[in-house]
Amino acid sequence: MENAEQEYEETVSTLREMAPHLESLMRALTAAEGIPIHYIVSRVKTKFSTLQKLNRPGKNYTGIGDLTDVLGIRIVTYFPDDVDAVADVVKREFSVDGENSIDKRALLDPDRFGYLSLHFVAKLGEQRAALAEYVRYSNVAFEIQVRSILQHAWAEIEHDLGYKSSSTVPREIRRRFSRLAGLLELADSEFTEIKRFLGERDDAIERAGETAEEVPLDEETLFVFVQRDPVITALDRKVSRALKMNLEPPQREYAVLLLHCTKGMGINTWQELSDRLKSASKVLYDFMVTWILDLYKDVSEPDLGGLDAVPPGLGVYYLYLWNIASGNIPAEAYDFESLSKARDYTVRLQSLPGGAQSG
């Protein structure tokens, strides 16, 4: 036991040093493949857990070098198909010990409860192990666990309840566990199908591009529209430059607000919206800049009452406001002061040469 404790102390410093490198490496590799990851975390077994495993009955460990999971890294994905994508990365980038690696998804009987995950035992790949920053870790074996977020939730709850083996679980609890496992597996499958459907839909919208006369506007199509339509993207860039503001990344939440605006204007398709923006682009630009500069007097201040950057698609909102101020659609819930300002700007801008379009 004393020798094991000494060996642990000699080994653990290297493992603790390696752990953050391994985390960073996996983040970089999965990001390069475009795999969405919930989180990646590493851990080094405690001395107590390590010594307990070394002295487990029925095992003939000769020392810590026989253990392959003292250093471990856990990768939690959002979807179960991403577990397979991560597995492909691991197999390609590391030297995997196939004999000691295990896919628990393939072992689980249909009438048994338990969590599904992949467990790899691996070392650094030959080329990476030869690099100066990794050479000292070239012979270190470690464990990589990969599971989806729902699989992880199952494992954490099961662990918290204290059940390590199904043989210790009362029959009624086993039945409940089985039902829950089925529900989680179904949920994982449905989330994957939803992701696939939305991906195929976005691809179809992307292919439609500027010729999308028949593409109906909804949250998804409008989200793509504000990123791809040349009229709205040009207007966003022009306004952001005039206001000396950054252009925000696109947000789906903002597309929900813009969808309310398009419905209020009676606009139902991608092409209709693009045409309306194009016909009003000059006066709309003047209207936006005049309104925002008056509302936020000093644009150099970091806090502009909530508008510190231009969200993609802002022109759609101001097209809506322009139509309200012009009397083309009902004022709805706009406060009197804002509506009076908007109407004043509308009258002023419409009186300018070339500014008579109402949008």
Side-chain angles (χ1 to χ4, degrees):
M1 178 67 73
E2 185 178 337
N3 289 339
E5 289 188 16
Q6 182 178 349
E7 187 182 3
Y8 177 86
E9 296 297 339
E10 292 172 351
T11 305
V12 73
S13 60
T14 300
L15 299 183
R16 286 175 179 161
E17 186 180 283
M18 182 181 181
H21 290 287
L22 197 56
E23 280 187 47
S24 298
L25 176 59
M26 284 308 310
R27 288 194 184 95
L29 291 173
T30 53
E33 295 293 319
I35 305 171
I37 299 295
H38 176 56
Y39 75 77
I40 296 175
V41 66
S42 61
R43 66 100 183 95
V44 176
K45 272 185 181 292
T46 63
K47 182 192 294 185
F48 176 80
S49 295
T50 303
L51 298 181
Q52 191 177 45
K53 185 166 185 177
L54 283 173
N55 290 285
R56 189 173 295 171
K59 298 292 183 180
N60 296 310
Y61 296 121
T62 61
I64 289 178
D66 293 341
L67 303 182
T68 57
D69 64 344
V70 180
L71 171 60
I73 182 166
R74 178 173 295 154
I75 304 166
V76 178
T77 69
Y78 288 100
F79 302 97
D81 57 340
D82 290 327
V83 172
D84 293 317
V86 173
D88 290 339
V89 172
V90 171
K91 292 172 185 176
R92 185 183 69 234
E93 298 291 337
F94 297 92
S95 176
V96 173
D97 179 353
E99 185 176 340
N100 290 304
S101 299
I102 184 170
D103 184 351
K104 293 197 173 184
R105 300 173 302 175
L107 296 179
L108 194 64
D109 293 332
D111 61 343
R112 300 284 295 278
F113 72 88
Y115 72 88
L116 313 174
S117 65
L118 279 171
H119 290 230
F120 290 105
V121 173
K123 292 183 179 181
L124 294 173
E126 186 176 339
Q127 290 185 338
R128 183 166 285 109
L131 299 175
E133 62 267 36
Y134 290 110
V135 68
R136 64 175 303 187
Y137 312 125
S138 59
N139 292 317
V140 176
F142 47 87
E143 183 180 68
I144 303 174
Q145 293 183 6
V146 193
R147 56 176 76 144
S148 75
I149 192 170
L150 288 184
Q151 292 164 358
H152 179 64
W154 171 271
E156 291 295 290
I157 293 171
E158 186 182 39
H159 180 270
D160 187 63
L161 291 174
Y163 290 119
K164 292 287 188 178
S165 169
S166 61
S167 62
T168 65
V169 184
R171 179 181 176 83
E172 176 58 27
I173 300 301
R174 286 204 304 272
R175 291 179 66 250
R176 292 186 176 186
F177 266 134
S178 295
R179 290 202 300 267
L180 285 170
L183 287 173
L184 286 177
E185 189 172 349
L186 178 62
D188 247 347
S189 176
E190 286 300 306
F191 278 129
T192 300
E193 285 302 301
I194 290 170
K195 182 185 74 165
R196 181 192 60 77
F197 173 81
L198 292 177
E200 290 177 355
R201 189 168 180 234
D202 284 351
D203 288 343
I205 295 167
E206 292 274 354
R207 288 194 298 271
E210 297 175 37
T211 63
E213 293 91 347
E214 301 304 320
V215 174
L217 287 176
D218 56 28
E219 180 184 339
E220 289 295 325
T221 56
L222 197 50
F223 180 68
V224 177
F225 175 89
V226 299
Q227 300 173 71
R228 287 185 55 85
D229 184 77
V231 178
I232 193 64
T233 54
L235 183 60
D236 286 340
R237 286 196 297 268
K238 191 176 178 182
V239 169
S240 66
R241 285 197 298 267
L243 298 175
K244 298 178 181 177
M245 293 181 179
N246 294 324
L247 195 59
E248 289 182 344
Q251 298 181 5
R252 292 184 185 275
E253 292 83 358
Y254 192 60
V256 176
L257 169 66
L258 298 183
L259 184 61
H260 170 79
C261 297
T262 59
K263 287 183 176 179
M265 292 183 287
I267 298 173
N268 298 308
T269 68
W270 184 322
Q271 196 63 51
E272 287 177 47
L273 180 56
S274 184
D275 291 342
R276 290 281 288 276
L277 286 164
K278 187 174 182 179
S279 66
S281 60
K282 173 60 174 69
V283 70
L284 190 57
Y285 167 78
D286 293 335
F287 180 61
M288 290 173 70
V289 173
T290 305
W291 173 276
I292 296 171
L293 284 176
D294 185 73
L295 201 58
Y296 309 109
K297 301 292 186 185
D298 185 359
V299 296
S300 66
E301 289 295 322
D303 183 5
L304 302 172
L307 184 67
D308 55 1
V310 174
L314 186 64
V316 177
Y317 171 72
Y318 276 90
L319 178 65
Y320 179 58
L321 184 57
W322 172 266
N323 275 273
I324 290 175
S326 301
N328 296 333
I329 55 178
E332 296 187 353
Y334 282 91
D335 63 274
F336 179 77
E337 183 180 357
S338 295
L339 187 57
S340 297
K341 280 185 179 181
R343 285 174 174 161
D344 176 55
Y345 296 148
T346 304
V347 171
R348 281 194 289 158
L349 293 172
Q350 284 180 325
S351 67
L352 295 174
Q357 300 175 81
S358 65

